Amino acid sequence: MKTAVMKTRPFAKKRTSRTFFHYNLMVGIGLLWLIFFNIVPMFGIIIAFEDYNPIQGLWGSEFVGLEHFEYLFSMSDSRRVIVNTLVIAVSKLILNIIVPLAFALLLNEVRQLRFKKFVQTIVYLPHFLSWVILASVLLEIFGYRGVFNALLSVFGVEGKIWFSEESCFRQLVIFSDVWKEFGFNAVIYLAALTGISPDLYEAAAIDGCGRLKAVWHITLPGIASTIVVMAILGLGNVLNAGFDQIFNLYSPLVYSTGDILDTWVYRMGLLNVQFSLATAAGLFKSAISFLLIVISYVVAYKAADYRIF
Amino acid sequence: MKAKKCMALLLAASLTASLFSACGKTDNGSTSANSGSDSTSAESAGSDKENTNDGGDPAFQKFPEVVEVHIGQGVSTTDSLPEGLSVENNQYTDYLLENFNIKVVVDWTAASGNDYNQKVALCIASNTLPDAMTVSREYMIKAANAGQLYDITDLFQEMQSDQVKEVMDSTGGQAIEESSVNGRQYAIPAVEVETAGVQVINIRQDWLEEYGLEAPKTLEDVENIAKVFAEKKPAGEDTVPIAGPDKSTNSYTNFLQTGTTTCGFDAVFSANDAYPGIFLKDEDGTITYGTNSDETRKTLELLADWYDKGYIDPEMGTRDSSIELINSGKVGMFFGAWWMIGYGIGDAYRNEPDANWQSYPILTDDSKWNVKLGSATTGYCVINKNVSEDVAKAIIIMANVLLRDESKFDVSEQPLSYWPVRTLMAPADECEYTYHELIKVLDGTASVEDYQGVSTAYKLLSNDVEVVKDTIPGYETGKQLSISDFSTENFGNFQRMYSLMIGDRPYATTPVEKEVRSCIFNQTETMEKKWANLWSMENEMVMKIITGKSDISAYDEFVENWMNEGGSDILEEVAQAQ
């Protein structure tokens, strides 16, 4: 990106190491971050294959091969954890594309600029709230004496603690996440929408094309590549079902539908000091994620002729 | 609530930050020389022993130079310190520095409970243990097996004070054994009074009187009282007849976490002769797991019935803190250990000075009292392997000092939980003994002077007898004490006396029919791997059955899964270990 910008500037300084120093510095910080937080910790994977002993360290602990993986898959927990993760993550992935897209398209049709900006600002505010805060607000609203139950009682429906209901937990998690993020996600689509040339709409209008048809034939194809990028970027995260959200909302009562890989790893690894087992589960998750990224990359290239890298 | 907590955390963080900066300043001036020579003093101190000013008793020696002890400290979210004080700057740390040249440096703090355990687990995993911290049994074993802990087998024998030795001996060697791994001692054990494992029911006597009810004796009485509380709602619409466990507490104890649960239901199980969570050995030596019994099943059904009828807190298991609920005056009954009623719910009396909480035992239908008891030790102060001998000594001295001087401190403003790496030490019968001695003093059959100047392991007794008359001005022989007989002027004294005289009254005065202990308090090999998972399965099953999310068939399913997923191996191993 940066080099591209530089090239198009007519009076750009000559490229010397000095003029580029700042840019290298900026990249350098990013690289350092990458090395220390993403590459170095990678060696920790070894823990999954050994009986980790902190004193003997990564290299000294006894090697036990796939023992932890065997135990992992023999546990009755692991299947439901994987199912929960997939269901929650895939639903979030899909809804987090569709809802913001629909919202952006609708907002794009609004002609009154002030109203448009107003709505846009309001809906993306929840994005900036942390789950720690939002979770306690939600637990309060959907709690036993919460607003939601008060509302239901008007219609004579009996109240429940909604976040402790197995049958409701996933839905609540998914919808609260979509509600929190759709405004922010829509920003990208709105930006893409402004990139579509108004000439096309004018031409379509002259040809007698209605609004709906214009959306279908001009708007959507115009932002198709953005949608694909968002989907691919999302796929890599598909097994991240949202640790901080679920961690702050769940309780043992909803483990059966709400416990995801990350929360399970947290409990095993940090509370129950089963370091190796937890690492094995984490590695399993990463391997699946990696596979999904590769697949999505190939699919995107083959189907939409799109490459991110 | 969370927001409030966050705010508190932020404040605490900024406080500590400002504290650090303050420390930095004074350090530059006065003690920088000291901290520089710390490492050298470690080697020389051994020969410098004659410098100590405490008559040469190693148990209470004052170091010639300041010894820094880095600790990790759990802090209670409900106990707070007065403004300007902090975990490393309070009456306890001042006392240690002044009298023993032990400077406590708090490397980190975490809220007691899950947050603290998480921090401990991280320290073990990353091999960054502070010099000292108190941990629970699993973590102690884990760290000892990993070779991260200081072997204090010999040092402890050399350094322990006579009182500490007396306490250790009162357990018949059990305490040292439980803090040892493969025959070497790796921790200073917290030796708990026996009554800490005994659960009693605490009840609002003033509510009972309002509706003309008798104090409960059996589960049936509890149910009838709960029914009245649920109907009459003495605390308004959201009255909770019986509080339940919250997010971070369990429904009953297990053989690893033996100090009884707060707001759990151990007493209900025991009254049905059920002892879930622990391993039992019957007469012919067969080992069974207490959860897998018909009585446990029956009790779970009973609790589910209570929950269904609205007797038990509908938000049990999801609440942030059941104690907060009790403090707010909404609760009619809850189960807990002897100390809950005084130490545990101090704010309840601040909010409602007339709340007349009383403790009773829950008996079986034929009026017998069964109690589930815990291990001799409940916490372990572990020392990092890499510390100098002086630091290790300092940590043992801190434990000695706490036992000797605990009664010197005024705990009403600065709770004892702020004692750095506190390890409780008490002879097994301390509470009951104190109860009876205090009654003697109140009755006038013994005088305060009788107890002065006698050095025993009952370290608080002489102080207790001194304050008991002022704290309970309304005492009359033979009358059941109530809140109106107590003076809350010195709140710390009030909490202690209320816990002792009311909370421990059941265990001090009611004969026990059957004492049940787990036949093992250690983890076997399979347990080290699989117990965590089995226990979480069990916990989930219990919560779901009580709250009606699953019916009782989930119990049968659990028993089967438990056996298949390692339980049967564990039973065999436990049998072998006998």
Side-chain angles (χ1 to χ4, degrees):
Chain A
M1 273 305 243
K2 266 163 208 130
T3 50
V5 173
M6 291 304 290
K7 262 185 204 160
T8 52
R9 282 173 61 187
F11 301 108
K13 283 187 193 157
K14 212 181 146 206
R15 274 207 216 177
T16 64
S17 61
R18 206 200 287 160
T19 53
F20 260 71
F21 178 70
H22 311 92
Y23 299 108
N24 289 334
L25 193 71
M26 282 196 279
V27 173
I29 292 169
L31 268 180
L32 273 183
W33 180 83
L34 191 76
I35 289 169
F36 281 112
F37 289 94
N38 287 329
I39 310 238
V40 173
M42 207 97 87
F43 292 104
I45 290 172
I46 297 176
I47 293 174
F49 301 100
E50 55 191 21
D51 246 342
Y52 177 60
N53 177 330
I55 279 279
Q56 287 156 352
L58 288 185
W59 312 111
S61 298
E62 192 197 345
F63 188 80
V64 295
L66 294 176
E67 195 186 298
H68 297 296
F69 289 90
E70 275 164 31
Y71 178 46
L72 179 67
F73 293 114
S74 74
M75 257 185 295
S76 54
D77 267 7
S78 52
R79 223 178 104 198
R80 86 177 181 195
V81 167
I82 292 167
V83 169
N84 288 340
T85 311
L86 279 175
V87 170
I88 294 175
V90 171
S91 320
K92 275 185 182 174
L93 177 70
I94 294 172
L95 287 175
N96 268 332
I97 291 171
I98 294 178
V99 175
L101 181 63
F103 175 73
L105 290 175
L106 288 173
L107 201 64
N108 195 42
E109 297 299 316
V110 172
R111 287 286 163 253
Q112 212 182 350
L113 202 65
R114 264 199 157 170
F115 177 69
K116 193 171 155 180
K117 292 279 172 211
F118 176 73
V119 172
Q120 205 182 326
T121 312
I122 293 287
V123 296
Y124 89 16
L125 278 182
H127 169 80
F128 296 100
L129 291 174
S130 97
W131 271 117
V132 178
I133 294 162
L134 208 56
S136 34
V137 173
L138 284 172
L139 285 173
E140 206 58 48
I141 291 175
F142 290 96
Y144 194 65
R145 293 176 204 291
V147 182
F148 189 67
N149 275 345
L151 218 104
L152 286 181
S153 68
V154 174
F155 302 101
V157 182
E158 207 194 329
K160 284 179 186 162
I161 305 165
W162 295 96
F163 276 104
S164 337
E165 291 294 321
E166 284 173 321
S167 52
C168 308
F169 187 79
R170 273 187 204 155
Q171 289 87 322
L172 281 169
V173 162
I174 294 163
F175 283 108
S176 59
D177 183 67
V178 171
W179 167 77
K180 182 175 184 284
E181 299 299 337
F182 84 93
F184 192 77
N185 290 337
V187 171
I188 292 164
Y189 295 115
L190 283 169
L193 286 172
T194 55
I196 299 170
S197 162
D199 300 352
L200 293 172
Y201 290 104
E202 275 170 32
I206 290 165
D207 289 343
C209 171
R211 278 206 173 176
L212 270 180
K213 278 206 165 159
V215 167
W216 186 250
H217 292 290
I218 300 168
T219 317
L220 277 179
I223 59 170
S225 60
T226 314
I227 299 173
V228 173
V229 176
M230 295 300 282
I232 294 172
L233 289 178
L235 257 184
N237 272 331
V238 78
L239 288 187
N240 288 335
F243 173 80
D244 25 347
Q245 181 192 14
I246 291 176
F247 180 68
N248 283 298
L249 288 172
Y250 80 160
S251 64
L253 289 173
V254 289
Y255 280 174
S256 57
T257 54
D259 199 14
I260 55 169
L261 268 166
D262 290 327
T263 49
W264 189 87
V265 167
Y266 164 80
R267 288 205 314 277
M268 274 302 146
L270 289 188
L271 296 184
N272 299 331
V273 284
Q274 309 260 31
F275 305 124
S276 297
L277 184 64
T279 312
L283 179 59
F284 167 73
K285 183 190 134 180
S286 304
I288 302 278
S289 294
F290 180 70
L291 199 75
L292 284 169
I293 294 178
V294 172
I295 292 173
S296 60
Y297 177 78
V298 173
V299 168
Y301 182 53
K302 290 261 157 70
D305 196 21
Y306 186 85
R307 316 174 72 149
I308 358 180
F309 36 73
Chain B
M1 243 38 250
K2 274 255 169 69
K4 218 169 161 190
K5 255 185 222 165
C6 291
M7 207 48 218
L9 259 176
L10 264 179
L11 279 175
S14 58
L15 259 174
T16 15
S18 60
L19 190 99
F20 277 130
S21 57
C23 283
K25 267 171 224 146
T26 51
D27 268 2
N28 290 339
S30 56
T31 53
S32 61
N34 271 339
S35 54
S37 59
D38 265 356
S39 47
T40 50
S41 76
E43 289 119 52
S44 58
S47 54
D48 278 355
K49 234 172 212 170
E50 58 274 14
N51 285 354
T52 59
N53 64 351
D54 211 322
D57 183 359
F60 296 103
Q61 62 176 294
K62 181 174 183 175
F63 291 100
E65 276 173 86
V66 173
V67 172
E68 271 191 26
V69 177
H70 292 255
I71 63 164
Q73 178 87 344
V75 290
S76 148
T77 45
T78 47
D79 289 344
S80 51
L81 284 171
E83 211 173 314
L85 298 180
S86 73
V87 279
E88 58 179 8
N89 171 29
N90 53 51
Q91 57 176 345
Y92 308 117
T93 55
D94 289 350
Y95 185 78
L96 287 170
L97 183 60
E98 206 172 292
N99 296 298
F100 304 96
N101 262 337
I102 296 172
K103 183 172 164 49
V104 174
V105 181
V106 178
D107 281 359
W108 49 263
T109 62
S112 321
N114 277 353
D115 287 354
Y116 183 77
N117 290 342
Q118 175 188 336
K119 189 71 201 173
V120 169
L122 271 178
C123 283
I124 296 174
S126 58
N127 198 16
T128 52
L129 272 66
D131 296 349
M133 58 181 176
T134 48
V135 301
S136 62
R137 209 179 159 72
E138 305 105 283
Y139 297 118
M140 191 266 288
I141 295 171
K142 189 95 190 170
N145 282 333
Q148 293 172 308
L149 300 184
Y150 200 98
D151 180 347
I152 59 168
T153 316
D154 303 320
L155 194 66
F156 188 72
Q157 291 309 322
E158 177 194 329
M159 295 297 296
Q160 66 179 345
S161 67
D162 296 341
Q163 283 170 307
V164 169
K165 190 166 164 41
E166 201 177 319
V167 170
M168 295 297 152
D169 290 347
S170 81
T171 64
Q174 190 81 17
I176 302 288
E177 200 186 307
E178 283 173 20
S179 49
S180 301
V181 175
N182 301 329
R184 304 301 292 174
Q185 185 184 355
Y186 287 107
I188 307 171
V191 180
E192 186 60 289
V193 289
E194 197 171 62
T195 177
V198 179
Q199 201 179 48
V200 292
I201 190 167
N202 301 304
I203 188 163
R204 282 290 290 268
Q205 191 82 18
D206 46 333
W207 291 10
L208 284 182
E209 279 158 16
E210 199 179 329
Y211 305 117
L213 296 166
E214 291 280 314
K217 287 199 178 61
T218 61
L219 290 177
E220 208 185 322
D221 298 342
V222 174
E223 184 167 346
N224 291 334
I225 294 167
K227 191 174 173 208
V228 176
F229 286 177
E231 277 163 10
K232 310 268 181 177
K233 302 188 191 303
E237 201 42 46
D238 41 1
T239 302
V240 173
I242 304 173
D246 56 34
K247 250 184 173 169
S248 46
T249 54
N250 291 325
S251 299
Y252 46 79
T253 57
N254 65 27
F255 71 103
L256 288 174
Q257 302 151 355
T258 61
T260 197
T261 56
T262 294
C263 303
F265 302 112
D266 294 88
V268 181
F269 285 97
S270 304
N272 273 337
D273 207 19
Y275 308 95
I278 62 177
F279 291 90
L280 304 167
K281 186 157 90 172
D282 62 12
E283 291 91 33
D284 39 305
T286 326
I287 303 293
T288 54
Y289 183 51
T291 308
N292 307 347
S293 75
D294 291 343
E295 288 82 10
T296 301
R297 190 177 194 274
K298 198 178 98 188
T299 314
L300 282 174
E301 280 180 302
L302 176 75
L303 289 169
D305 182 50
W306 286 4
Y307 183 91
D308 186 47
K309 289 178 177 156
Y311 300 165
I312 296 176
D313 179 12
E315 292 178 62
M316 80 168 247
T318 55
R319 247 180 226 290
D320 281 337
S321 160
S322 290
I323 303 280
E324 270 173 28
L325 182 73
I326 296 166
N327 284 343
S328 71
K330 298 287 182 196
V331 174
M333 293 180 265
F334 70 95
F335 300 94
W338 69 282
W339 51 269
M340 271 309 299
I341 201 168
Y343 291 116
I345 54 168
D347 280 342
Y349 305 103
R350 292 194 178 100
N351 296 339
E352 218 176 331
D354 307 327
N356 187 14
W357 284 103
Q358 295 287 325
S359 304
Y360 299 101
I362 295 297
L363 310 178
T364 59
D365 292 339
D366 45 356
S367 297
K368 306 240 164 77
W369 194 21
N370 298 334
V371 296
K372 180 178 175 185
L373 292 171
S375 60
T377 55
T378 51
Y380 307 86
C381 171
V382 295
I383 302 173
N384 187 332
K385 186 187 187 177
N386 302 322
V387 302
S388 68
E389 192 177 317
D390 265 15
V391 171
K393 280 181 178 171
I395 295 161
I396 299 175
I397 290 172
M398 281 157 70
N400 293 335
V401 173
L402 175 65
L403 185 59
R404 188 187 67 176
D405 298 340
E406 186 183 330
S407 59
K408 285 187 187 167
F409 297 107
D410 178 3
V411 296
S412 37
E413 295 254 286
Q414 305 184 29
L416 211 53
S417 55
Y418 284 95
W419 182 275
V421 288
R422 176 177 177 220
T423 40
L424 275 168
M425 273 192 210
D429 65 340
E430 184 180 46
C431 292
E432 293 78 58
Y433 183 79
T434 308
Y435 176 89
H436 291 296
E437 297 306 307
L438 289 179
I439 292 282
K440 278 188 206 161
V441 171
L442 286 168
D443 281 340
T445 55
S447 74
V448 176
E449 287 73 36
D450 297 349
Y451 300 91
Q452 303 310 318
V454 189
S455 166
T456 65
Y458 300 105
K459 72 270 178 190
L460 295 173
L461 189 59
S462 67
N463 188 58
D464 285 340
V465 296
E466 234 169 78
V467 301
V468 66
K469 282 189 170 162
D470 291 334
T471 314
I472 320 179
Y475 178 83
E476 279 169 44
T477 308
K479 188 185 85 169
Q480 178 171 338
L481 289 169
S482 77
I483 183 77
S484 54
D485 301 323
F486 284 78
S487 148
T488 50
E489 208 165 298
N490 181 319
F491 205 78
N493 287 343
F494 159 74
Q495 285 182 297
R496 175 157 177 84
M497 286 303 147
Y498 207 76
S499 300
L500 275 172
M501 302 307 284
I502 307 231
D504 198 42
R505 182 180 53 210
Y507 199 59
T509 59
T510 315
V512 173
E513 171 74 18
K514 190 166 156 189
E515 292 183 352
V516 182
R517 276 197 174 83
S518 178
C519 63
I520 191 168
F521 291 111
N522 275 323
Q523 285 195 327
T524 64
E525 207 187 321
T526 312
M527 283 187 204
E528 270 174 40
K529 261 192 143 171
K530 303 192 170 171
W531 176 257
N533 183 43
L534 289 174
W535 178 244
S536 98
M537 245 166 73
E538 179 168 343
N539 217 357
E540 189 185 336
M541 175 274 295
V542 169
M543 278 293 186
K544 277 182 157 177
I545 290 181
I546 297 179
T547 57
K549 303 259 158 27
S550 322
D551 61 11
I552 195 70
S553 65
Y555 170 83
D556 305 323
E557 206 176 298
F558 161 78
V559 172
E560 208 186 307
N561 288 342
W562 190 86
M563 281 296 186
N564 293 337
E565 288 185 37
S568 52
D569 296 342
I570 288 174
L571 283 177
E572 255 167 52
E573 287 174 2
V574 174
Q576 265 168 21
Q578 294 305 306

